[in-house]
Amino acid sequence: MVLLLGGIAGGSYLALERYGSPAHAGTCVATGLGTSHRYTTDRVANAALISAIAVDRGMPPRAASIALATAYQESRLQNIDHGDRDSLGLFQQRPSQGWGTEEEIMDPIYSANAFYDALEQVEGYAQGDINDVAQEVQRSGFPEAYRDHETEGRLYASALTGQSGANLVCSLEDVGATVSPEQVRAEIARQFPRLTEAGRITTALAGAAESAPQVPGGAGATALVIDVGGDETLGWALANWAVARAADDAVVQVSYQGRVWDRAVRGEQAARWADADGGDSERVVVLVAGG
C-alpha cells in the first residue's frame, strides 16, 4: 500500500514557489536541541493538529516528528488546494494515487490519519531515519528534502506531544473577535476523538477566577478546564496545543502545573512560560475571550 500511495510530492517546490505563503499576524517558537524555530500561527495550528492526531492514535512522538517534517516540506504546513498534478493539502496527497477524494484530502484530520495509516506500514519507522521513512511513505521526486526539516519537526513534535513540558510560546496581537468556549471544547473532541470518547480527556466550563492562577484584566474570559486524569505528558500536549491554537481560538491564557502562558505579556517575558501560584494546577486551564 505504501508503494501504491507513492509519487505524490514531486512538485511541491513548484507550487510553493508560485503561490508563496500568506501573511498571518503572530508567530510561535519551540526550543530544544540547542536551537529554536519560529513559525507563523497558521502553520503552528496545523502542526498542532498533526501532532494531536498522533497523540490520539497512541503513536510514538517520532511519528509526529516524521509527519511534521514531511508536511513542512510538502506544503510549508499549509492546507493548500493546489500542487504538482493533482496533489493537495498538508501532505500533497494525490486522489489519483489512492489517498482519497479531493474533499477528503482537504480535510486536515483525514489527511493526517491517511499519512499515519501509511506510516504504520513502514517497518521500524519509530527507529528509522526521519528523511528515509518519510520518503518511503511519500516517494518524492526530492528524496533527501525531508532531512532539511528534521530538526524543527522534532522540536514541534516534542512540544505538541507533551515530551518537553512548557515549551511552545506564541507572540500574538490582542484578541479581536471572541470565540465561544464551546467551540474550543468541540475542537478538542474533533482532534482528540479517541481519547475524548475513552474518557481520558474530559472538559468543563468554569469561572475564570476560580480556575486560573491569574486572570488578565478586562479579558472577560471563560475558563475551559481540561482534565487528563493525571497523565502529565498528555496534559502538556493539551497545554501546548491550546497555545498553538490561541490565535484561532481567542485564547488569552493557558496554565498547567504551576506554569502559565499569557497572551498579554510582551517583550522578553513573552518568550517563556512564567511560574504562577494558585489556580487549578492539576488540570489544564484555558481562558477563552468569549462566553
Side-chain angles (χ1 to χ4, degrees), residues 265-283:
V265 174
R266 299 288 189 267
E268 291 183 4
Q269 296 301 312
R272 64 181 182 86
W273 288 61
D275 296 327
D277 295 325
D280 189 340
S281 63
E282 296 302 313
R283 297 167 181 82

Side-chain angles (χ1 to χ4, degrees), residues 199-204 224-231 234 238 280 282-284:
R200 290 190 55 201
I201 295 174
T202 58
T203 57
L224 178 63
V225 180
I226 308 170
D227 193 330
V228 294
D231 186 333
L234 181 58
L238 266 294
D280 189 340
E282 296 302 313
R283 297 167 181 82
V284 180

Side-chain angles (χ1 to χ4, degrees), residues 101-267:
T101 67
E102 291 183 8
E103 183 178 4
E104 286 173 333
I105 292 170
M106 287 303 297
D107 175 357
I109 289 179
Y110 173 91
S111 65
N113 273 303
F115 179 85
Y116 289 130
D117 286 346
L119 178 63
E120 286 181 320
Q121 296 179 52
V122 178
E123 185 176 355
Y125 76 86
Q127 294 78 39
D129 178 85
I130 286 178
N131 179 88
D132 295 348
V133 172
Q135 173 62 6
E136 190 162 349
V137 175
Q138 300 291 94
R139 302 297 183 184
S140 171
F142 299 91
E144 291 294 320
Y146 305 107
R147 200 173 305 283
D148 294 341
H149 310 293
E150 176 178 339
T151 298
E152 61 262 42
R154 290 174 61 193
L155 291 185
Y156 279 88
S158 180
L160 291 165
T161 62
Q163 305 300 306
S164 54
N167 191 331
L168 189 69
V169 293
C170 296
S171 299
L172 308 175
E173 296 177 348
D174 294 337
V175 173
T178 59
V179 172
S180 165
E182 288 290 359
Q183 290 177 249
V184 184
R185 196 178 191 179
E187 195 62 30
I188 292 172
R190 195 174 79 94
Q191 295 194 26
F192 298 90
R194 299 165 182 83
L195 294 175
T196 300
E197 290 170 9
R200 290 190 55 201
I201 295 174
T202 58
T203 57
L205 301 183
E210 292 77 29
S211 305
Q214 56 199 44
V215 180
T222 299
L224 178 63
V225 180
I226 308 170
D227 193 330
V228 294
D231 186 333
E232 181 178 343
T233 300
L234 181 58
W236 280 116
L238 266 294
N240 285 310
W241 177 91
V243 174
R245 289 195 53 83
D248 291 333
D249 291 343
V251 171
V252 294
Q253 186 187 100
V254 181
S255 59
Y256 183 53
Q257 293 195 335
R259 306 294 300 279
V260 60
W261 171 84
D262 194 320
R263 184 185 189 125
V265 174
R266 299 288 189 267

